[in-house]
Amino acid sequence: MARPEFHIFLCTQRRPDGHPRGCCGSKNADAVYDAFAQALIQNNLTNRVALTRTGCLGPCMAGPNVLIYPASQMYSWVEPEDAAIIIKQLLAGEVYADKLTPAELW
């Protein structure tokens, strides 16, 4: 694999039902991961953008959360339909402001 230009980390943390912090895994994180993977494949970006499942990224109440480097951008409340938009704007050097994690959470 070539060295990626960007690395997308997507929280898929699972906690027991009723856990006080909740978790991204119970908020459709697997479907969000699949949407990112499909967008990367469909746009032939698998050599430019790495995608990795992670554990907790912090703001559990706002999940699923996506953290992108080297831009140090975190997105929250991400839904499957956001994946293609986030990738498109990332490659254009733009930020998807609608899903950017608020400063008070991160």
Side-chain angles (χ1 to χ4, degrees), residues 6-91:
F6 303 100
H7 202 136
I8 299 173
F9 297 94
L10 197 150
C11 178
T12 57
Q13 173 78 38
R14 293 226 172 250
R15 291 194 175 100
D17 291 339
H19 190 282
R21 289 187 64 195
C23 65
C24 292
S26 68
K27 297 175 183 161
N28 212 19
D30 288 333
V32 173
Y33 181 90
D34 291 344
F36 270 97
Q38 287 302 310
L40 293 174
I41 291 167
Q42 290 170 355
N43 292 289
N44 198 29
L45 295 170
T46 57
N47 285 333
R48 291 183 62 196
V49 182
L51 176 64
T52 303
R53 294 176 186 263
T54 70
C56 187
L57 293 172
C60 305
M61 76 299 288
N65 295 295
V66 174
L67 180 59
I68 301 176
Y69 283 108
S72 296
Q73 298 166 342
M74 185 182 285
Y75 296 97
S76 295
W77 298 284
V78 178
E79 299 174 36
E81 56 270 18
D82 299 320
I85 298 167
I86 290 171
I87 290 170
K88 180 181 177 184
Q89 292 196 299
L90 173 69
L91 295 173

